[in-house]
Amino acid sequence: MPVRPDGAEDYDVPVLTDGTVVLRRLEERDVPQLARNCADPAAAEFTTVPLGYTEADARWYVEEFVPAAWRAGREYNWAVTDARTDRLHGTVGLNALRGTTADIGLNFGPHARGTGAAEAACRLLLEHAFGSLGLTHAYWMAKIPNWASRKLAWRLGFRSPVRIDGFMEQRGASVDAWILTLGAEDPRSPQAPWDGPPSPAAVRPEEPGGPHRSVRPQPTPPRP
């Protein structure tokens, strides 16, 4: 099993930075921008965020879902911010932790796409996952045809894209997905020539499945 981060029991999130972006704990101050990011049409198209995303959804995610997932060792999710301004770019995390593997999940706002922030954040995350947590493999899932997500994975060294029809669950529906793999010892650079469109549409979010793998909390039915 991967080593749990120090302090995970009390949700003490390690801070990771390369001087350009910072991966830190999600805070209440991130709620407005997180809500805007998740309400973006491209996020709705390619990730698992609920439709009609609101600040109430973002607050529940920040205050309840993420801390509970950290404490349980199910998912480790970070805020990705600008190192100079602390403005939220988006979120990145290790989802579906199992054995010594995990899925990479991320969702960035329109203002951050094309800036290199997503690639920088993923490199920090992968270094932490393989170096500090002892993971052996990371997986990348992109809903077809999210070519921008697949190209980001390609730049990071993810290899062997496999198409699995109906593999990804998105708001109760089964959709087709690409699955890519990166091993701890693999180079973090392209392993083969790019085989997709020369310039994926700029509106495509640079993310595989997004951070929200759960749905909105439902009201608890009254006890009989």
Side-chain angles (χ1 to χ4, degrees):
M1 294 289 290
V3 178
R4 294 190 65 190
D6 291 341
E9 294 78 7
D10 57 4
Y11 187 41
D12 184 13
V13 178
V15 176
L16 313 174
T17 185
D18 64 355
T20 301
V21 299
V22 176
L23 275 60
R24 60 159 173 80
R25 174 175 170 156
L26 278 155
E27 301 286 356
E28 194 277 337
R29 65 182 182 272
D30 300 316
V31 164
Q33 185 62 60
L34 178 62
R36 288 192 289 271
N37 289 358
C38 293
D40 179 68
E45 181 178 358
F46 288 110
T47 79
T48 60
V49 297
L51 298 178
Y53 204 90
T54 67
E55 287 197 11
D57 294 315
R59 185 166 289 104
W60 171 80
Y61 181 74
V62 169
E63 296 179 356
E64 297 185 41
F65 178 83
V66 172
W70 268 86
R71 294 186 183 108
R74 296 192 309 268
E75 298 188 11
Y76 302 146
N77 291 296
W78 282 261
V80 180
T81 67
D82 182 279
R84 183 176 59 85
T85 66
D86 196 44
R87 183 184 183 185
L88 184 74
H89 288 312
T91 55
V92 67
L94 299 170
N95 306 144
L97 283 152
R98 57 211 180 270
T100 57
T101 71
D103 296 348
I104 304 297
L106 64 153
N107 183 29
F108 279 62
H111 66 284
R113 297 176 196 147
T115 65
E119 181 174 348
C122 286
R123 291 190 181 281
L124 286 169
L125 181 67
L126 291 167
E127 181 180 354
H128 182 69
F130 293 139
S132 299
L133 302 184
L135 268 62
T136 59
H137 293 85
Y139 302 109
W140 189 284
M141 179 165 57
K143 178 185 175 183
I144 297 172
N146 192 350
W147 284 104
S149 175
R150 180 166 160 179
K151 192 163 191 178
L152 175 56
W154 171 79
R155 290 200 301 268
L156 293 166
F158 281 79
R159 53 186 168 77
S160 306
V162 175
R163 175 180 177 135
I164 306 179
D165 292 345
F167 185 80
M168 180 176 167
E169 189 276 332
Q170 186 183 46
R171 294 183 287 273
S174 295
V175 297
D176 302 340
W178 288 306
I179 308 296
L180 299 94
T181 304
L182 181 70
E185 304 303 320
D186 289 341
R188 310 287 166 78
S189 57
Q191 301 304 295
W194 173 243
D195 62 353
S199 298
V203 298
R204 302 303 196 200
E206 293 178 330
E207 66 228 9
H212 296 256
R213 294 188 178 273
S214 61
V215 297
R216 291 187 182 93
Q218 298 300 312
T220 302
R223 296 183 180 274

